[in-house]
Amino acid sequence: MKKIAVLILLLTATIAQAHTLLMNVINNEDNTVTVVGEFSTGDSAAGALIRFESLLSGEILFKQRLPEDSELTAEIPKEPYQIVLDGGPGHTIVKEGIEPLEGFVKEIKAEVIKTSTKLSQASNLTNEWSNPTIILFILGLLLIILTLYISSKNTNKILKQIKQEG
């Protein structure tokens, strides 16, 4: 019976393993950026959607899915932008875009502050506890309480035996 309980516990812990989408943006110093996406578990983020969104209009300047190697190189837009890596529901990362070598125009930078309502927002559901996590937490807490209770009972029995013998 104990072996079955341990096996079920291990399987549940494996299923409950969380993963977070990660994005690395590399400036290639030639007016291109390389975007690398992966999950914290080491799994590839191939197929996740990369978007460059204008900070001025919210317009999509570039859109492409990550290839098999989860690495994509693209030209840097001439206007301020943000890079969005969309790996599905609850897995969206947003980072500020890198400036081109000649920089963005100063008048355009001032307009960026006015327009930010149309843009994608980062969302990562790792702050929420899934049902298997809650169940395992409660189960662990109950096992700790049970262990303390049994330990206390056994300690009292041992102390009574010592008093009777002495």
Side-chain angles (χ1 to χ4, degrees):
M1 182 67 175
K2 288 182 182 180
K3 290 181 182 180
I4 293 173
V6 170
L7 181 63
I8 290 172
L9 186 63
L10 287 175
L11 289 175
T12 308
T14 304
I15 293 169
Q17 182 180 5
H19 61 277
T20 304
L21 187 61
L22 305 172
M23 175 173 58
N24 192 13
V25 180
I26 302 163
N27 186 352
N28 297 325
E29 302 294 333
D30 62 353
N31 278 340
T32 64
V33 291
T34 299
V35 181
V36 181
E38 66 180 346
F39 287 96
S40 59
T41 57
D43 293 338
S44 167
L49 186 65
I50 298 285
R51 290 190 312 268
F52 292 0
E53 295 179 351
S54 169
L55 292 178
L56 301 174
S57 64
E59 174 187 342
I60 296 174
L61 305 172
F62 175 84
K63 182 166 109 173
Q64 189 173 339
R65 296 212 175 265
L66 281 175
E68 286 297 316
D69 62 354
S70 296
E71 191 173 304
L72 182 71
T73 302
E75 257 187 65
I76 297 176
K78 302 297 182 205
E79 63 184 88
Y81 67 102
Q82 68 181 13
I83 302 170
V84 180
L85 175 59
D86 188 352
H91 297 290
T92 304
I93 298 179
V94 179
K95 287 192 177 181
E96 186 177 331
I98 296 172
E99 289 189 23
L101 294 175
E102 60 275 3
F104 297 127
V105 180
K106 289 182 182 179
E107 298 87 37
I108 293 177
K109 279 186 181 179
E111 287 182 44
V112 169
I113 297 170
K114 299 176 190 173
T115 59
S116 64
T117 56
K118 298 179 186 177
L119 301 174
S120 296
Q121 302 296 320
S123 68
N124 202 342
L125 299 179
T126 57
N127 292 338
E128 295 182 12
W129 286 27
S130 65
N131 287 338
T133 304
I134 293 170
I135 291 169
L136 286 174
F137 180 78
I138 291 171
L139 184 62
L141 192 58
L142 290 174
L143 287 174
I144 290 172
I145 291 170
L146 183 63
T147 303
L148 291 173
Y149 175 75
I150 292 171
S151 175
S152 173
K153 291 273 255 184
N154 286 339
T155 302
N156 288 335
K157 283 182 183 179
I158 292 171
L159 288 175
K160 283 181 183 179
Q161 286 178 354
I162 290 174
K163 283 182 182 180
Q164 287 176 356
E165 291 175 5

